[in-house]
Amino acid sequence: MKTIESFFEPFPVLETERTILRRLTYDDLDDMYSYCVVPAVSEFTTWDAHKSKEDTKAFLDFVMSRYDVNLIGPWGIEDKQTKRLIGSCNYLGCDSDNRRVELGYVLSDQYWNQGYMTEAVKRIIQFGFDEVGLERIQAQCLVKNTGSAKVMEKAGMQFEGVLRKYMKVKNELQDLKMYAIVKEDFYTRIK
């Protein structure tokens, strides 16, 4: 059985109507910094707003170290029209035995409420079921993060419940909403 990671050798480039999903590069540093510095962007994430470009470079160093050893790293979300990086999305917590991944994502506040993240998430879900052979794709968000919950719902994921006091976020245990889509529901929905 192939591992989930093996589908990232080489790194898959995916396309949507308005975006290209591809490896991050150091050329993305300025674009990434421009949204990671915005406090509202990191409000519901496990990381704090970047204070300097060094913070962004440190994150890119981490990502490059993963790419270098064929570990899964994030897709950069590039706006086709402007050629700028506007966010990222990735598979976290890959479980090859159970054919399951979790999605994580972030988007520039300049692109909120325009359907960009839903478009990217739908494409990454399709890749997971069609190419990787996943059985389940799940994602979580803080209960207060209504924007992320809407993305998951619009991407076809179903709300499964609240995980109480599930994860420490910014030094406080938080409740998380769990959403998921399974392969059979995905294929039933697109028929």
Side-chain angles (χ1 to χ4, degrees), residues 63 71 74 77 132 140 153 166 170 187:
V63 169
L71 292 174
I77 304 170
V132 181
Q140 303 168 15
E153 290 165 4
Y166 189 74
K170 301 194 171 98
Y187 287 118

Side-chain angles (χ1 to χ4, degrees), residues 169-184:
V169 179
K170 301 194 171 98
N171 295 317
E172 187 177 333
L173 280 173
Q174 297 283 339
D175 295 346
L176 297 178
K177 287 183 169 183
M178 172 66 83
Y179 285 82
I181 185 169
V182 295
K183 186 193 303 190
E184 65 188 53

Side-chain angles (χ1 to χ4, degrees), residues 34-136:
S34 74
Y35 62 80
C36 287
V37 73
V38 177
V41 170
S42 66
E43 179 180 2
F44 299 117
T45 68
T46 57
W47 48 273
D48 293 318
H50 292 191
K51 304 276 189 249
S52 70
K53 286 188 181 178
E54 283 304 310
D55 291 341
T56 308
K57 184 180 179 303
F59 175 72
L60 285 171
D61 287 341
F62 168 75
V63 169
M64 297 309 150
S65 72
R66 294 188 63 82
Y67 291 157
D68 288 346
V69 294
N70 295 318
L71 292 174
I72 296 176
W75 280 279
I77 304 170
E78 179 184 306
D79 180 350
K80 284 182 181 177
Q81 187 174 358
T82 65
K83 307 290 187 216
R84 294 189 62 184
L85 181 80
I86 63 170
S88 63
C89 187
N90 60 330
Y91 286 162
L92 307 165
C94 296
D95 182 341
S96 292
D97 288 340
N98 293 299
R99 312 305 296 164
R100 178 181 66 227
V101 297
E102 183 164 321
L103 295 179
Y105 47 82
V106 64
L107 185 69
S108 166
D109 58 318
Q110 302 295 309
Y111 289 81
W112 287 358
N113 299 311
Q114 299 173 50
Y116 279 88
M117 188 52 76
T118 300
E119 191 176 307
V121 167
K122 282 181 174 180
R123 180 65 184 97
I124 290 169
I125 287 171
Q126 179 187 17
F127 172 76
F129 291 134
D130 287 351
E131 305 297 323
V132 181
L134 296 175
E135 290 293 331
R136 176 183 168 90

